[in-house]
Amino acid sequence: MLGRPANRGADVTLNIARARLEIASGRTVATTTYNGTAPGPLIRMKEGVPVSVNIFNHTDVPEYVHWHGFEVPAEVDGTEEERSLLVPAGGHLQYELTPRQTGSRYVHSHAMAMDDLTRGVYSGQFAFVYVEPRRNPGRYDQEIFLSTHEWEPYFMEGDDDPNAITEERHGETDWGPAFVEIGYGIHSINGKALGHGEPIRVKEGQRVLFHILNASATENIQLYLPGHEFLVVALDGNPVPRPGRVSVLELGVGERVDAFVDMKNPGTWILGSPDDDVRGSGLGILVEYAGKQGAARHVPPGGATWDYLRFGEKRESPAPDEIIPMVIERLDPDGHGMEQWAINGRIYRDQDEPKALARGRRYRLAFTNRTGDAHPLHLHRHTFELVRIGGRQTAGVKKDVVVLQGYQTAEVDFISRQAGLTLFHCHQQMHMEQGFKTLFRVV
Ligand SMILES: [Cu+2]
């Protein structure tokens, strides 16, 4: 129990419970869910209106429930590193939180999985949270929430990164595979593989507002709707300075995109991954115009690649009070044959002293990716602003996850408004669990 006692019924009730989910006809997975489904229930909140949260854990392991993209106190943020309250095995937890950030957010397990791929973000413990802004985002005829997720995770030998600093030594170890990656049996949107759920039903002339969440444990994805364009209006819930039209959306793990689509190309289409293998293993959903049932169409995409900068402004950001360099490297496998990750040469350890930040100052995180992997970098309890991607300057794009491409540099600024422990990590779960995280303490 925490803080002011809630003297009314719970506004949000999450039951952490095992369930069997049918992802495709005859293909079920046993997993842990919020309220028996994955995604869990769509949670709607109102900007600035306190919400009473009641969480019951029906499993036999403790859980952490993380409010992703919320600037809330560390004790309710839901991570072990920040010493948040846990939900005891077989127990419950109640507290109040006030959503201050609007738009598309989410809630997910922050339990570490390590070698148990049934746990944490590999499970069905995630739900879309939409915080209604006081100001309406504009006219639309339909609002559609989509969450992507993968199932049946397994360890597999990865393609090696030719430029990794430890590459030459890999062949000499007898620890098994050079390094390990996660593969999946099946992908889903809203818990169903392509062709196995209800289609999105639209009418010609409608304007549909899509709220899309990548609730994967490890996979950065692309989504594409042939014959249509997305008008991107918000990233990670935050309105962008320059809404822009794109044909292919890209969402790193934990990212959200809000986009309008004008339905003016009647037919039956697949909204899904442009990658044939990924779409073939389920990452897609049918879009069906009224009166136009027929074979679903997919045509390869053209057009420009995803670029955060096309939604930003070209102006200089205020100088930060401090620049915090973060050099990202992959290190030798540990005794289990697992690759390890380091920030500035440091693999995270629980006993590490958090870096102290002064409250209310402007900090710049300056990333250098010395690996070929793309990393979805996430800062807890704060919103940051992109100031540079590669050599290009930008401003006004506010996010809580930024995908740092292979061998890329980037800079983001944030104001340390939230006192207490604040976790920074790669949202690729295996990277985080293998050391890719660090703690700040705002004082
Ligand atoms: Cu990573």
Side-chain angles (χ1 to χ4, degrees):
M1 298 294 234
L2 172 83
R4 298 129 299 204
N7 48 18
R8 54 195 157 121
D11 295 316
V12 174
T13 301
L14 294 178
N15 283 285
I16 302 170
R18 303 282 297 169
R20 287 197 75 88
L21 307 177
E22 189 172 54
I23 308 303
S25 305
R27 186 111 172 238
T28 61
V29 297
T31 189
T32 309
T33 64
Y34 294 150
N35 300 5
T37 61
L42 171 64
I43 298 167
R44 284 186 183 269
M45 299 180 178
K46 288 198 173 79
E47 182 182 358
V49 177
V51 172
S52 168
V53 175
N54 214 351
I55 308 169
F56 297 88
N57 184 355
H58 303 276
T59 73
D60 57 6
V61 288
E63 267 297 340
Y64 285 95
V65 175
H66 168 52
W67 298 91
H68 183 123
F70 289 75
E71 299 183 9
V72 292
E75 50 194 343
V76 301
D77 193 51
T79 80
E80 185 173 11
E81 295 85 349
E82 294 169 337
R83 323 250 191 282
S84 305
L85 297 164
L86 60 72
V87 197
H92 89 284
L93 179 63
Q94 187 178 1
Y95 54 79
E96 194 175 88
L97 65 81
T98 303
R100 305 263 176 221
Q101 290 63 46
T102 62
S104 296
R105 314 275 152 183
Y106 80 122
V107 58
H108 65 82
S109 169
H110 219 281
M112 294 302 109
M114 302 317 284
D115 50 11
D116 180 357
L117 298 184
T118 67
R119 292 212 62 196
V121 285
Y122 296 103
S123 76
Q125 295 174 79
F126 59 94
F128 210 117
V129 185
Y130 192 75
V131 182
E132 307 283 352
R134 293 204 181 97
R135 199 166 54 89
N136 197 288
R139 181 196 73 82
Y140 53 86
D141 303 295
Q142 261 203 83
E143 190 180 29
I144 305 279
F145 290 85
L146 302 177
S147 305
T148 70
H149 193 71
E150 292 77 31
W151 306 95
E152 302 172 355
Y154 57 90
F155 291 107
M156 59 182 239
E157 189 169 339
D159 297 327
D160 211 345
D161 161 10
N163 295 306
I165 53 172
T166 56
E167 200 260 338
E168 283 151 38
R169 274 178 278 172
H170 278 152
E172 298 166 17
T173 66
D174 51 4
W175 295 327
F179 76 95
V180 173
E181 275 185 358
I182 307 289
Y184 297 93
I186 190 164
H187 297 239
S188 69
I189 294 182
N190 289 356
K192 296 288 184 186
L194 174 60
H196 294 272
E198 285 295 299
I200 297 168
R201 295 193 170 86
V202 301
K203 293 194 181 88
E204 188 174 0
Q206 277 188 335
R207 172 167 260 209
V208 176
L209 175 55
F210 284 95
H211 304 290
I212 305 175
L213 157 68
N214 179 353
S216 179
T218 58
E219 300 299 292
N220 301 328
I221 60 160
Q222 292 186 319
L223 289 174
Y224 166 59
L225 178 58
H228 300 77
E229 274 188 324
F230 296 99
L231 173 61
V232 174
V233 293
L235 296 176
D236 294 352
N238 309 300
V240 294
R242 292 193 305 142
R245 291 183 194 280
V246 299
S247 65
V248 180
L249 302 175
E250 211 165 291
L251 293 98
V253 177
E255 286 192 301
R256 291 86 66 207
V257 170
D258 299 270
F260 288 110
V261 176
D262 289 317
M263 295 297 168
K264 50 187 184 189
N265 200 343
T268 299
W269 302 93
I270 297 171
L271 166 53
S273 173
D275 182 304
D276 293 341
D277 291 339
V278 176
R279 195 176 63 258
S281 46
L283 191 67
I285 186 168
L286 294 177
V287 174
E288 201 176 272
Y289 279 71
K292 295 285 177 184
Q293 286 87 344
R297 281 185 280 169
H298 176 81
V299 289
T305 52
W306 180 253
D307 181 2
Y308 293 129
L309 269 75
R310 69 168 301 167
F311 312 114
E313 296 170 307
K314 283 198 187 68
R315 62 176 161 84
E316 197 147 339
S317 300
D321 295 300
E322 185 181 339
I323 297 174
I324 302 172
M326 288 196 177
V327 176
I328 292 148
E329 285 174 318
R330 199 177 81 197
L331 305 181
D332 271 337
D334 63 13
H336 302 96
M338 303 284 277
E339 60 188 12
Q340 299 182 92
W341 292 89
I343 301 171
N344 300 334
R346 182 83 193 150
I347 298 167
Y348 179 85
R349 298 279 181 266
D350 289 336
Q351 59 271 25
D352 285 354
E353 189 57 37
K355 176 176 170 57
L357 306 181
R359 197 166 175 182
R361 297 183 77 197
R362 187 180 185 96
Y363 289 93
R364 179 163 298 171
L365 303 178
F367 307 118
T368 302
N369 186 359
R370 293 223 177 124
T371 77
D373 288 8
H375 300 291
L377 304 176
H378 175 45
L379 179 64
H380 280 238
R381 305 180 53 232
H382 291 83
T383 304
F384 52 70
E385 184 177 342
L386 309 186
V387 299
R388 192 175 60 77
I389 302 284
R392 298 178 303 153
Q393 197 172 54
T394 190
V397 176
K398 294 181 176 172
K399 299 181 75 352
D400 51 64
V401 177
V402 62
V403 176
L404 183 63
Q405 299 296 339
Y407 301 105
Q408 197 177 48
T409 61
E411 292 176 347
V412 306
D413 281 9
F414 69 100
I415 314 277
S416 48
R417 287 205 181 86
Q418 301 294 317
L421 293 171
T422 288
L423 182 63
F424 170 87
H425 65 88
C426 183
H427 219 297
Q428 206 279 21
Q429 186 70 12
M430 219 176 60
H431 295 176
M432 169 168 56
E433 295 187 3
Q434 293 300 115
F436 196 159
K437 55 182 162 180
T438 193
L439 258 186
F440 297 113
R441 185 194 296 278
V442 179
V443 290

